[in-house]
Amino acid sequence: MNVLVTGACGYIGSHAVRCLLKAGHRPIALDNLSRGHHESLPAGVPFVKLDIRDTDALADALKQHSIECVMHFAAFAYVGESVEQPLVYYDNNTRGTLSLLQALDRVGVRRLVFSSTCATYGEPETMPIHEQTAQQPINPYGWSKLFSERMLFDYAASKPTFAFAALRYFNVAGCSADGAIGEDHHPETHLIPVILQTKLGLREKVTIFGEDYPTDDGTCVRDYIHVEDLVEAHVQVAAVLEPGAKLVYNLGIGRGYSVKQIVEVARSVIGEFRVDSGPRRPGDPPKLYADASKIERDVGWVAQRTDIRAMIESAWRWFEHHPRGYAARGA
Ligand code: UFG
């Protein structure tokens, strides 16, 4: 299958490109390189440098590469930044998705797998989070993705031949098993990369944001899913998208780890690093973990790489050898 991957040079998109190749598909990589790294693409994969908000150019690319399915990862994903610059998020994430749908409609591409997020749920009172849990985002990032989901439902209702799956990610972690590609965000704010950068001496310390949450050890609990499991779910879901499908699935491992647990497991992998306590980070819900059983029942996907230690080891393999990210390759 010819699959267009938007945001193909980002952390998750680049892992998806490799997963598609492994599964025998033909990925076509698209990225505007505003935050992505061209170096993350394997040699030989066609690359289209394009902003998805350029609907005409996007429609041309869909035609030119005879695209049969799109995996849509292109988006900004910093909660804090979205609070400071909401319009940037609605423009890049929501308008970007609208433009993509317009191009798909014009060319007649009928399958889309969409990168959504658990941030669309906001702060649910009960755990685990099911797909039916009410979606009440608490920041513009979550809204920008929820509005995109809404557009997918409305478009699909008007177009019976169209099919989509919106996959709501929990905390994506880890890097490719062979250490070839990884995670390279600027700035980096995610817990596991922050820990690894501290060990590498790129940061002075890890600050635990809040130890007074209503959880067992007082720190926030999250559901960490390995990026390679996550992208495999996309490939499996794409294969079952039949006309008219409007699928929504959580992607997590179904159990949570606290910040302190992650710190302890990381210490057992990489040794000591400096940790201190700080105040809560605004907007962090105390506990988020998924019920990811629906995708298992419907599609047969279940996370394989659930060992949190191995997840951190796989990230460490990348960070240890690329302390400056892709820039280390002379980019
Ligand atoms: N944390 C720290 N110190 C740090 C970094 C993070 O204590 O230096 C804590 C956070 O407070 C949080 C946990 O570690 O409790 C995980 O934080 P991350 O920043 O790694 O991830 P988030 O849970 O904040 O974010 C993830 C996704 C977002 C998504 C969000 C939904 O990365 O894209 O879940 O809540 F929007």
Side-chain angles (χ1 to χ4, degrees):
M1 189 157 64
N2 294 339
V3 182
L4 184 79
V5 180
T6 77
C9 299
Y11 168 47
I12 301 173
S14 60
H15 284 84
V17 166
R18 290 161 60 99
C19 185
L20 283 162
L21 283 173
K22 216 164 122 193
H25 297 295
R26 182 169 178 270
I28 289 87
L30 183 147
D31 205 296
N32 67 2
L33 296 180
S34 73
R35 294 189 179 178
H37 308 278
H38 189 246
E39 303 76 21
S40 63
L41 291 181
V45 170
F47 175 63
V48 183
K49 184 172 183 293
L50 193 67
D51 190 304
I52 54 169
R53 289 165 293 190
D54 185 344
T55 316
D56 293 341
L58 184 54
D60 287 345
L62 293 171
K63 261 187 275 180
Q64 193 197 333
H65 293 279
S66 306
I67 298 301
E68 296 157 274
C69 176
V70 174
M71 289 189 184
H72 177 31
F73 300 100
F76 291 156
Y78 291 112
V79 168
E81 184 182 59
S82 80
V83 175
E84 284 154 24
Q85 302 180 58
L87 303 185
V88 170
Y89 273 67
Y90 292 123
D91 190 51
N92 193 52
N93 296 1
T94 313
R95 185 162 79 87
T97 303
L98 173 61
S99 171
L100 174 64
L101 283 175
Q102 288 166 330
L104 297 185
D105 186 56
R106 199 184 297 172
V107 177
V109 178
R110 300 204 183 98
R111 273 182 279 199
L112 176 66
V113 182
F114 174 60
S115 163
S116 190
T117 169
C118 67
T120 60
Y121 295 113
E123 286 190 55
E125 274 161 25
T126 55
M127 289 294 136
I129 297 175
H130 305 270
E131 288 81 357
Q132 300 76 17
T133 297
Q135 289 178 288
Q136 291 167 332
I138 54 166
N139 51 59
Y141 169 62
W143 280 112
S144 75
K145 290 283 185 172
L146 184 56
F147 290 148
S148 299
E149 283 195 11
R150 187 68 252 164
M151 288 192 291
L152 297 183
F153 276 103
D154 289 344
Y155 176 59
S158 76
K159 196 93 184 172
T161 51
F162 181 71
F164 78 87
L167 305 181
R168 298 179 185 151
Y169 312 162
F170 284 67
N171 286 55
V172 190
C175 297
S176 70
D178 61 6
I181 56 170
E183 189 169 4
D184 184 4
H185 294 124
H186 298 278
E188 187 52 80
T189 58
H190 295 110
L191 178 62
I192 294 172
V194 163
I195 289 173
L196 303 181
Q197 289 181 345
T198 304
K199 182 67 188 178
L200 288 167
L202 301 171
R203 293 169 188 263
E204 198 193 326
K205 59 186 179 184
V206 178
T207 301
I208 296 182
F209 298 144
E211 295 191 44
D212 58 349
Y213 283 97
T215 58
D216 287 349
D217 65 16
T219 65
C220 287
V221 170
R222 295 289 181 272
D223 182 334
Y224 294 86
I225 174 172
H226 196 287
V227 65
E228 291 191 310
D229 276 333
L230 184 97
V231 295
E232 278 174 11
H234 288 65
V235 175
Q236 287 189 34
V237 166
V240 301
L241 276 183
E242 295 296 336
K246 304 180 195 65
L247 307 175
V248 173
Y249 295 122
N250 285 339
L251 290 182
I253 68 167
R255 67 163 289 191
Y257 291 91
S258 73
V259 175
K260 278 189 175 163
Q261 283 176 313
I262 296 291
V263 165
E264 282 320 305
V265 176
R267 281 194 166 128
S268 76
V269 174
I270 60 177
E272 276 305 315
F273 51 88
R274 198 175 148 207
V275 177
D276 78 357
S277 327
R280 291 183 178 196
R281 186 170 67 177
D284 276 343
K287 230 185 219 188
L288 294 173
Y289 59 92
D291 177 338
S293 60
K294 183 166 171 246
I295 187 169
E296 184 178 0
R297 281 195 303 278
D298 289 3
V299 183
W301 174 89
V302 63
Q304 304 292 324
R305 302 162 182 86
T306 55
D307 182 74
I308 191 71
R309 192 186 152 86
M311 234 184 265
I312 295 174
E313 280 169 351
S314 78
W316 181 235
R317 267 196 295 281
W318 161 261
F319 278 90
E320 195 183 13
H321 294 110
H322 304 86
R324 292 191 299 123
Y326 287 102
R329 296 182 178 183

